[in-house]
Amino acid sequence: MVICSTSFVGLSGFELRCRSPGFTCRQVHWLPGVFAPKVEVVTSEDESLVLGGRGCVARDHIPPREPVVKVDSEAVIRVQVESSDGVPWYVRLALKFLKEKSAGENSKFSEYVSILDSIRDGERSVLMDKSVSRDIHWYEYLRADVQNYYRAVEDSFAGEVTDLCRSITDWRRALWIAHSRAFALPPTGKEIALIPMVDMFNHVTRANSELVYNGDTNSYDIVFENDLPAGEEILITYGGLSNDILLPYFNFIEHDNPIDTYYLTYRQLAACLSTFNAPTHGRSTEELEARQDGLPSQLQLEVLQRAGVHWEGERGLLIGLDGPSETLMLVARVLISDEETLRESDPASFAKAKDLSSELVLWDTLESVLEAEEEKISKWVRKSLDEGGAPTILDFAKEKIRTISSSLRVMRWWRDVSERVGRVTTVLLPPGRSTIPVPILDERGMRQL
């Protein structure tokens, strides 16, 4: 293990010095506006760090609410989240990073920009390397998102961007830095920024950390509600992020992620339901072929629209550790209903169970769908293990299997309890499963370029 320490320099910064015997640091950085006297930056090749490679540990005991790091507000590279021109914040932040880089020593952020530019931990990410992105072909939802991302990056590589980047690879790297290292600035969250030193801490969802603005010192501070013992790795939370966000945008996954998700696309769900629950009586050949291709009938589309759901073939329907989302259940109820039911029912009624018998059919059908997904991913994992697949993608796939298995367990519990009491019961969760108060971003769960 190589240990580097941050020491206070005057009133305006810290310097990073390696102190492990026999190790020579390539460079010593001094960053104005950063104060982290009790933090050590650690690099390791063993499993002592949550993410391996690099992290931060407490060199001394840090009491609750004592700032772990203080960063002067003038030391961050920031942009507004919203803009009048409609350009996404991460595109504007990537451009600002590139402009500061092109300014060289004339930029007041030159030291920090130099550090960011030297980081290569995203080179083998699914958003940077197309050969890696092909390893997620088994996950239709994420595969479609990544393909859309690559197209959007290529479309945006024009004008001002080409003046600042030598190649599209440089543009991808700038976007990667913006995505993977940005934090929403307190107290309003209306600005988002690259914050030196703060982006060195590793992530875990359950970390009791908070990024706060300190008006007395005009700084952004990381504080914890709990104390941090000396020698312990300092883990902060980047927010409530599933592995569907962490893998593409941060190039790591969180094992046993308490809010992990799996997504079926609308088209995928329709095709699967046509396989496992496809009454053919009274249906035309064209309609049956459309169902198999993942296309709903015109009547189903109309019912969904009146129920407040707009059909998007590649959009994701969420499956969580605590069962399928309400939107997925609504869509599935519409897709497995016969024409008479669709015509006679109030579209809003599909948002909840009609009766026990119809809900049992729904759960049995969804169980078959999820079991097929689970087996598909398991087969890929076994094959990839034999062929020496990328460890991060393998771990990602295993987490998806865990999420699907948990969701299956919840649905089976709903069915068993409901059959015993004679009515639909989905409030109770199986022993050992419970929700935690960490928000999932939204139904889609992904940020698009």
Side-chain angles (χ1 to χ4, degrees):
M1 177 180 291
V2 177
I3 297 181
C4 310
S5 64
T6 58
S7 56
F8 188 52
V9 180
L11 295 175
S12 59
F14 80 96
E15 61 182 354
L16 183 64
R17 294 188 181 279
C18 299
R19 62 177 177 81
S20 292
F23 183 82
T24 303
C25 219
R26 287 187 302 172
Q27 51 188 335
V28 174
H29 295 296
W30 176 74
L31 298 179
V34 180
F35 181 48
K38 294 185 178 181
V39 175
E40 292 182 332
V41 180
V42 176
T43 60
S44 174
E45 296 181 358
D46 58 31
E47 300 298 322
S48 59
L49 299 173
V50 164
L51 298 181
R54 174 196 50 74
C56 299
V57 301
R59 63 186 303 183
D60 296 305
H61 171 260
I62 303 176
R65 305 302 297 183
E66 177 181 307
V68 172
V69 59
K70 296 178 73 68
V71 182
D72 190 285
S73 67
E74 296 301 314
V76 307
I77 304 174
R78 71 181 79 201
V79 296
Q80 294 288 323
V81 174
E82 303 292 341
S83 69
S84 58
D85 58 12
V87 178
W89 64 263
Y90 37 89
V91 173
R92 288 182 283 111
L93 188 58
L95 282 170
K96 191 162 188 176
F97 162 76
L98 289 170
K99 290 176 182 177
E100 297 296 341
K101 177 183 174 182
S102 66
E105 295 299 323
N106 293 324
S107 168
K108 69 175 182 178
F109 306 111
S110 60
E111 294 283 354
Y112 181 39
V113 168
S114 176
I115 293 174
L116 291 175
D117 195 44
S118 69
I119 294 171
R120 293 291 186 269
D121 57 2
E123 297 295 295
R124 292 285 292 165
S125 70
V126 296
L127 297 185
M128 285 284 289
D129 189 331
K130 287 187 176 181
S131 67
V132 177
S133 68
R134 287 193 286 271
D135 287 341
I136 57 170
H137 64 85
W138 49 268
Y139 194 1
E140 186 172 323
Y141 162 74
L142 187 57
R143 181 189 66 197
D145 258 351
V146 169
Q147 289 173 345
N148 290 337
Y149 181 91
Y150 272 103
R151 283 193 291 269
V153 170
E154 290 166 2
D155 291 343
S156 65
F157 188 62
E160 184 181 19
V161 174
T162 56
D163 294 335
L164 294 167
C165 294
R166 292 172 298 177
S167 68
I168 195 168
T169 299
D170 288 344
W171 180 225
R172 287 199 189 101
R173 288 195 61 250
L175 287 167
W176 168 263
I177 289 170
H179 273 302
S180 65
R181 296 184 171 272
F183 292 82
L185 292 178
T188 65
K190 293 182 179 181
E191 291 182 303
I192 199 158
L194 302 172
I195 312 177
M197 189 63 191
V198 171
D199 58 12
M200 296 287 285
F201 296 99
N202 288 330
H203 159 84
V204 66
T205 298
R206 297 181 188 272
N208 204 5
S209 68
E210 185 180 5
L211 176 64
V212 299
Y213 175 70
N214 187 327
D216 294 334
T217 56
N218 191 30
S219 65
Y220 295 104
D221 304 350
I222 291 285
V223 297
F224 285 77
E225 294 298 328
N226 54 288
D227 64 339
L228 300 172
E232 181 176 291
E233 183 176 6
I234 303 172
L235 300 170
I236 66 173
T237 178
Y238 300 167
L241 303 178
S242 77
N243 287 328
D244 290 328
I245 296 289
L246 294 176
L247 177 70
Y249 290 102
F250 298 86
N251 201 30
F252 70 85
I253 64 114
E254 181 178 357
H255 293 278
D256 298 322
N257 189 326
I259 56 168
D260 201 21
T261 53
Y262 186 75
Y263 287 87
L264 289 172
T265 67
Y266 279 68
R267 184 184 297 273
Q268 189 180 8
L269 178 63
C272 290
L273 290 178
S274 72
T275 300
F276 294 109
N277 188 337
T280 59
H281 180 68
R283 298 184 186 275
S284 67
T285 301
E286 291 78 9
E287 184 178 351
L288 291 173
E289 289 176 350
R291 284 170 59 87
Q292 292 168 357
D293 289 339
L295 299 174
S297 69
Q298 186 60 40
L299 178 57
Q300 289 169 335
L301 282 174
E302 291 172 0
V303 172
L304 286 170
Q305 188 169 12
R306 293 202 300 272
V309 177
H310 298 283
W311 186 272
E312 297 180 49
E314 293 181 350
R315 184 184 176 192
L317 289 161
L318 184 148
I319 297 163
L321 291 163
D322 293 326
S325 68
E326 292 181 0
T327 303
L328 187 150
M329 300 288 277
L330 185 159
V331 173
R333 290 188 189 104
V334 171
L335 293 178
I336 68 174
S337 294
D338 57 38
E339 185 172 323
E340 181 180 358
T341 301
L342 292 174
R343 292 191 183 281
E344 294 181 357
S345 301
D346 177 359
S349 68
F350 289 97
K352 56 186 177 181
K354 294 179 180 294
D355 54 66
L356 179 57
S357 60
S358 61
E359 203 70 358
L360 288 174
V361 171
L362 174 67
W363 290 335
D364 287 343
T365 306
L366 286 178
E367 182 177 2
S368 298
V369 170
L370 294 187
E371 284 176 340
E373 286 296 298
E374 186 179 38
E375 178 57 24
K376 177 184 71 176
I377 302 171
S378 297
K379 283 183 177 179
W380 180 86
V381 168
R382 291 192 293 269
K383 182 174 182 291
S384 190
L385 282 170
D386 291 339
E387 296 175 353
T392 303
I393 307 294
L394 275 166
D395 288 343
F396 176 75
K398 292 175 185 177
E399 287 296 308
K400 297 299 124 180
I401 294 171
R402 181 182 72 93
T403 299
I404 295 172
S405 298
S406 177
S407 193
L408 279 168
R409 183 184 177 200
V410 169
M411 281 200 302
R412 289 164 182 158
W413 174 263
W414 289 345
R415 181 182 58 203
D416 293 346
V417 172
S418 297
E419 286 180 326
R420 288 202 298 268
V421 302
R423 65 179 185 277
V424 176
T425 303
T426 60
V427 177
L428 299 175
L429 291 173
R433 281 296 322 139
S434 62
T435 57
I436 64 170
V438 179
I440 294 175
L441 293 182
D442 51 34
E443 178 71 23
R444 184 163 175 75
M446 293 291 286
R447 294 174 290 182
Q448 290 294 305
L449 182 67

